[in-house]
Amino acid sequence: KNQVEQSPQSLIILEGKNCTLQCNYTVSPFSNLRWYKQDTGRGPVSLTIMTFSENTKSNGRYTATLDADTKQSSLHITASQLSDSASYICVVGLNTGGFKTIFGAGTRLFVKA
Amino acid sequence: GAGVSQSPSNKVTEKGKDVELRCDPISGHTALYWYRQRLGQGLEFLIYFQGNSAPDKSGLPSDRFSAERTGESVSTLTIQRTQQEDSAVYLCASSSRSLAASYEQYFGPGTRLTVT
């Protein structure tokens, strides 16, 4: 069964600290993996996209890693800011010739002053 | 340029009524997706369009849900005889044809549906 599991479910950190969010997937055939940020009441916004051959991708203070062998990805946030408080969603795309994607349930991050 | 837009932004309806939710994708985007997000939960795939056809309707929860797309542009998600469990945010996303960008889905702000 194609699944994307994220951990932790929620996380509270102090402003300025770093954190790492995890994503494990059992999706086949794998095409790509994306991390999205979703602010409360808004649609998700893409942070990074990685294909099978990429094992790291950065976007400012966000760095995503991908291990296609172990089917794991992580999103590392450096020097967190209050505006980083949001849900972070891991999404895996299937290589089925279409646009089928499997969404994780997300990690809810709270950054406190 | 303009992003994905959805209307209405909020909709309150009585149980049993029909509702129509609209999505205007980014101009030129060939793929369009509908998702449902219940309060505090992850996104649930409903349907996607490639052009005006829907190759994958597997996520539609019941025959009360239907969607159409015309002119490879606007899409409408219709929920008939709404039930309270239909209350959720309905998100639309679009994606372009180009090789690199085809992996990217651009989301609209969503329509918050409340069934009373």
Side-chain angles (χ1 to χ4, degrees), chain B residues 16-91:
Chain B
K17 300 286 188 183
D18 297 352
V19 294
E20 283 190 354
L21 312 180
R22 176 186 170 110
C23 173
D24 284 86
I26 293 173
S27 177
H29 278 194
T30 58
L32 185 148
Y33 314 74
W34 283 99
Y35 297 91
R36 178 170 70 178
Q37 188 173 32
R38 291 194 166 110
L39 185 64
Q41 297 188 20
L43 274 72
E44 176 187 4
F45 169 78
L46 297 178
I47 186 172
Y48 102 85
F49 289 89
Q50 180 61 37
N52 292 331
S53 63
D56 191 344
K57 305 179 182 178
S58 62
L60 293 177
S62 76
D63 59 7
R64 296 186 296 104
F65 288 72
S66 63
E68 65 174 14
R69 189 181 185 194
T70 57
E72 298 196 358
S73 180
V74 173
S75 177
T76 302
L77 177 69
T78 301
I79 308 173
Q80 296 178 310
R81 306 181 301 281
T82 53
Q83 303 294 314
Q84 289 185 329
E85 62 263 27
D86 298 334
S87 295
V89 175
Y90 289 82
L91 288 160

Side-chain angles (χ1 to χ4, degrees), chain A residues 32 34 36 38 46 49 99, chain B residues 33 37 50 103-105:
Chain A
N32 59 82
R34 293 168 281 173
Y36 282 90
Q38 185 176 23
S46 178
I49 304 171
F99 291 91
Chain B
Y33 314 74
Q37 188 173 32
Q50 180 61 37
Y103 301 130
E104 180 69 82
Q105 294 183 28

